[in-house]
Amino acid sequence: CFSPDCEMNASASEDTTVRLWKSDGTVIRTLRGGHDRWVTCVAFHPNSKSLVSGSADRNLIIWNTMGVPMRHLRGHDSFVESVAYAPNGLAIVSGSRDRTVKMWGTDGVLLKTFYGHTDKVWSVAFSHDNHTIASAGFDRSIRIWDIEQGLISTFQGHGDVVHSIAFSPDGKNIASASRDTTVKLWVIRGTPLRTLMGHTDEIMAIAISPNSKFLASTCKDKTVNLWNANGTLQTILEGHNDKVNSVAFSPDSSTI
């Protein structure tokens, strides 16, 4: 992921570390000694001064950018697969193979657990209104949660596992990426807008640019597809030599 101030990137690895990088590829520092199994996900706080990581060790850790672990968040019963900050920086949401979605305070306190998925939760996202969470996973569904009221909507339409979801910057639409080789765009009420077809294998990740003009999807076919907001395929980015598991736009929408 990119830091909101565009000063660094963070990556999560099977080597149990998180690394912070400059945009030229120089390693700033390696965050180690917190997780004892592979790190599956990472997200920056909106102020760019801290970040949170999730791991196969079932825990989340909040770090400062100097590499010091500040909080350990414990409560999941299986791998943590996805993590995101609320845009206001006051809460963290995590999704796990234990089929739950959890919301945490930045002080590490578990605030709420959302139940409803019938299989592994693979992706979570916070809407820009700070009150709405989306989650998706192996049960092929996308679920929308109000942080106070709980489950408010369930989207059905993919023919296989949903690997990744993303809110549009205005919070009105959701993009989802699936093992069924499609990207789908939805109205927040659960109405399908369109299906984007172009990949030849399962799609691993989806991102929407902050300026709302583009979508990027990554695939097991080693490519990244860049789409216009209307669903037209603009270009195919090639160069990886294995499946591409994650994608992110820079905050100024100029870089992937």
Side-chain angles (χ1 to χ4, degrees):
C1 61
F2 285 86
S3 63
D5 63 7
C6 290
E7 292 297 316
M8 66 186 82
N9 307 316
S11 61
S13 173
E14 289 189 8
D15 67 7
T16 74
T17 71
V18 174
R19 282 196 169 92
L20 303 181
W21 310 76
K22 294 181 181 179
S23 58
D24 64 2
T26 304
V27 176
I28 300 171
R29 62 183 51 88
T30 300
L31 285 54
R32 65 174 80 248
H35 293 294
D36 57 21
R37 297 190 72 185
W38 63 86
V39 186
T40 55
C41 49
V42 64
F44 272 101
H45 189 281
N47 67 10
S48 301
K49 295 179 180 179
S50 62
L51 61 161
V52 62
S53 58
S55 170
D57 65 11
R58 304 182 296 178
N59 300 321
L60 297 97
I61 297 176
I62 300 174
W63 311 75
N64 64 27
T65 54
M66 297 306 295
V68 178
M70 300 188 295
R71 299 281 189 277
H72 288 258
L73 285 56
R74 298 181 175 93
H76 280 296
D77 294 327
S78 189
F79 298 12
V80 179
E81 291 290 353
S82 183
V83 65
Y85 270 101
N88 62 11
L90 299 180
I92 295 165
V93 62
S94 57
S96 169
R97 293 190 188 186
D98 67 11
R99 306 180 183 185
T100 70
V101 175
K102 292 183 183 292
M103 187 173 70
W104 314 78
T106 53
D107 57 0
V109 174
L110 178 61
L111 302 176
K112 188 165 292 189
T113 300
F114 301 98
Y115 300 95
H117 281 285
T118 59
D119 209 330
K120 307 176 187 77
V121 180
W122 219 247
S123 183
V124 293
F126 244 114
S127 176
H128 286 252
D129 66 5
N130 298 293
H131 293 289
T132 309
I133 294 167
S135 60
F138 265 58
D139 62 9
R140 306 183 181 187
S141 73
I142 300 161
R143 296 174 189 263
I144 309 299
W145 315 82
D146 180 277
I147 63 171
E148 299 295 339
Q149 301 174 19
L151 184 65
I152 56 177
S153 185
T154 301
F155 304 178
Q156 303 280 1
H158 279 293
D160 211 325
V161 172
V162 184
H163 280 300
S164 181
I165 48 173
F167 276 103
S168 62
D170 62 10
K172 295 180 180 179
N173 300 316
I174 289 175
S176 57
S178 172
R179 184 183 284 175
D180 67 11
T181 76
T182 69
V183 171
K184 289 184 182 292
L185 301 180
W186 312 77
V187 178
I188 190 66
R189 297 181 184 89
T191 306
L193 281 175
R194 59 184 63 91
T195 299
L196 283 54
M197 302 181 70
H199 284 292
T200 61
D201 208 331
E202 60 185 281
I203 306 174
M204 307 304 295
I206 187 76
I208 301 177
S209 63
N211 64 9
S212 299
K213 293 182 179 180
F214 303 102
L215 293 88
S217 56
T218 73
C219 187
K220 201 172 181 179
D221 65 12
K222 308 177 187 179
T223 66
V224 179
N225 281 8
L226 185 65
W227 313 79
N228 292 321
N230 64 7
T232 304
L233 180 61
Q234 176 171 306
T235 188
I236 298 175
L237 309 177
E238 298 178 307
H240 287 287
N241 57 18
D242 206 339
K243 66 179 178 180
V244 190
N245 284 320
S246 184
V247 65
F249 280 95
S250 61
D252 63 5
S253 301
S254 68
T255 307
I256 296 172

